[in-house]
Amino acid sequence: MEQMIPNNIAYRIYDNTLAIIMNVQENKVVLLQSEPLKLWLQILRDSKNSFTEEESKILIKLKENGLIQSDTDTTTKPNTTNNIQNIDISVVNYWAFKNHIPISGHFELTSRCNLRCSHCYTLFNKKDTLSTKQIFDIIDQMHMSGTLGLVLTGGEIFAREDIVDILRYLYEKKFVLRLNTNGVYIDKDMVENIKDFTNIYRIHISLYSSEPKIHDEITNQKGSFDKTLNAIKLLKEAGFTLRINCSLMQANKDTYKEIKTEIGDKLGVNVHYDPFIYPKDDGSFNNMFDTFSDEQMQEFDIFNETNLKDDIIKKPKLCKAGYSFFSITEDGGLYPCLKMKRCYTNPLGNLTDTSFYDIWHNSDSIKMIRASLDNKIRDCSVCDLKI
């Protein structure tokens, strides 16, 4: 009965007593415990072919929540058990925070990139540091530690020749994925290769101007605008949920608004503006010469507030770095947060020689971070992750 579990389901099971399951396409999160969990696991392992009356009632509830596909008679009165609960993702995040479960994180797959954007903070390498085998091993370590959500970033992740293999492995391991990309390497063939990975809940694509010439000047790559815009259209056609990301700087001060009004709105793609430019990973500031003036920021704030929906306005929240969130750098270094590379001379540990579990639970560095951040509210402009 393996076919009873939809392909767009991602999940993690904790101590065989609790499961967090996400219907990625519907953005619905369900918590399973007790008998419903036991039954769902039996279905998952293809070891259940007949059902009692009580189990049939549970099946109806599982089907209603999109966790199975079955021909169960829906005229049967469903089970009213409290062990199948629809929950908000914020509840999962808080549970993970309190229990130090690394529920989500960033993974820099490479520091290689085909563009040289003037504002970028990344320090580029000519080769990938981690092999495919090492990346698979790190994925296994995250899986065993309870990680469900993962943001793949770089560099440019599609610069890796093995990116489809990596995405397939993450799909098989039931991770929920967000991809960060400039889109230049995404053509019809690539879309065809990744279109069935239904665990990808969103793809973020960087676009810096509505004018091709300005975008190409920022990326230092002629023709990059046309390739990025083509990728957005191809991915949208294939049914992916997208977001356009635009960093604000003097170079695009006259054209950033049109990214939303002339491109995003017309294609049905949300646009997110980042008004901050961050120092390079080595701590230098030579990429920050182009930032907005105070007057330009005020103009942007008026434009942005006008276009923000009430339900996505950010509120201060607990910093999850080192509690339930982590970042892995392109050489396998484990950090509490991607931006903390600039604050710490050394990572918490390196996953090529020490296990994720040992670092996360036993390292003195992470214990110190948790002690210093304990119950601190932060209104952090650095991060807007929600998985």
Side-chain angles (χ1 to χ4, degrees), residues 31 33 79-85:
L31 186 147
Q33 293 175 291
N79 193 303
T80 57
T81 177
N82 291 323
N83 293 315
I84 303 177
Q85 302 176 46

Side-chain angles (χ1 to χ4, degrees), residues 24-212:
V24 179
Q25 304 306 308
E26 297 180 13
N27 198 26
K28 181 187 291 185
V29 183
V30 177
L31 186 147
L32 289 186
Q33 293 175 291
S34 303
E35 291 304 312
L37 173 59
K38 181 180 177 181
L39 179 61
W40 193 77
L41 288 176
Q42 289 176 328
I43 295 170
L44 190 66
R45 294 162 184 158
D46 198 23
S47 60
K48 191 73 175 175
N49 296 301
S50 60
F51 305 93
T52 66
E53 182 178 348
E54 287 303 309
E55 287 174 336
S56 295
K57 293 178 181 179
I58 294 174
L59 282 178
I60 293 172
K61 195 72 174 176
L62 292 174
K63 184 177 180 181
E64 287 176 354
N65 283 281
L67 305 186
I68 62 168
Q69 298 168 331
S70 75
D71 298 325
T72 306
D73 182 6
T74 55
T75 61
T76 307
K77 186 177 180 180
N79 193 303
T80 57
T81 177
N82 291 323
N83 293 315
I84 303 177
Q85 302 176 46
N86 289 101
I87 56 175
D88 188 84
I89 191 65
S90 62
V91 176
V92 175
N93 284 331
Y94 187 68
W95 167 81
F97 175 88
K98 295 297 287 185
N99 291 281
H100 299 172
I101 306 295
I103 196 78
S104 62
H106 250 137
F107 193 174
E108 290 183 317
L109 294 180
T110 183
S111 60
R112 287 196 300 124
C113 189
N114 51 327
L115 304 181
R116 288 296 181 269
C117 301
S118 58
H119 61 287
C120 187
Y121 57 77
T122 301
L123 302 176
F124 300 108
N125 287 326
K126 294 182 178 180
K127 294 182 179 181
D128 298 325
T129 307
L130 296 173
S131 68
T132 308
K133 182 179 182 300
Q134 286 174 314
I135 286 180
F136 282 12
D137 180 62
I138 291 173
I139 290 170
D140 289 340
Q141 293 182 49
M142 289 187 289
H143 184 275
M144 289 186 290
S145 297
T147 303
L148 177 61
L150 201 58
V151 177
L152 300 183
T153 188
E156 170 51 46
I157 63 172
F158 285 94
R160 289 194 64 111
E161 294 180 358
D162 57 359
I163 185 59
V164 175
D165 295 327
I166 292 170
L167 292 175
R168 182 178 296 108
Y169 195 66
L170 287 161
Y171 171 73
E172 292 169 354
K173 291 290 184 178
K174 303 300 181 183
F175 281 83
V176 182
L177 297 182
R178 191 189 90 192
L179 312 184
N180 291 349
T181 177
N182 58 45
V184 170
Y185 285 127
I186 298 177
D187 54 16
K188 287 184 179 180
D189 289 340
M190 181 57 72
V191 172
E192 184 66 24
N193 285 332
I194 69 172
K195 67 181 177 62
D196 293 329
F197 298 146
T198 51
N199 60 327
I200 300 173
Y201 88 96
R202 195 162 64 205
I203 300 176
H204 288 191
I205 301 184
S206 300
L207 189 68
Y208 301 120
S209 175
S210 59
E211 294 294 328

Side-chain angles (χ1 to χ4, degrees), residues 235-249:
L235 290 166
K236 182 70 177 176
E237 258 179 52
F240 287 101
T241 301
L242 307 177
R243 189 178 89 176
I244 294 171
N245 286 344
C246 175
S247 296
L248 301 181
M249 61 199 87

Side-chain angles (χ1 to χ4, degrees), residues 4 47 59 67 71 92 131 154 159 196 209 228 253 277 279 290-291 297 302 322 337 371 373:
M4 295 182 71
S47 60
L59 282 178
L67 305 186
D71 298 325
V92 175
S131 68
D196 293 329
S209 175
T228 295
K253 62 183 175 62
I277 295 177
D290 211 18
T291 55
M297 281 298 298
I302 294 171
C337 167
L373 292 179

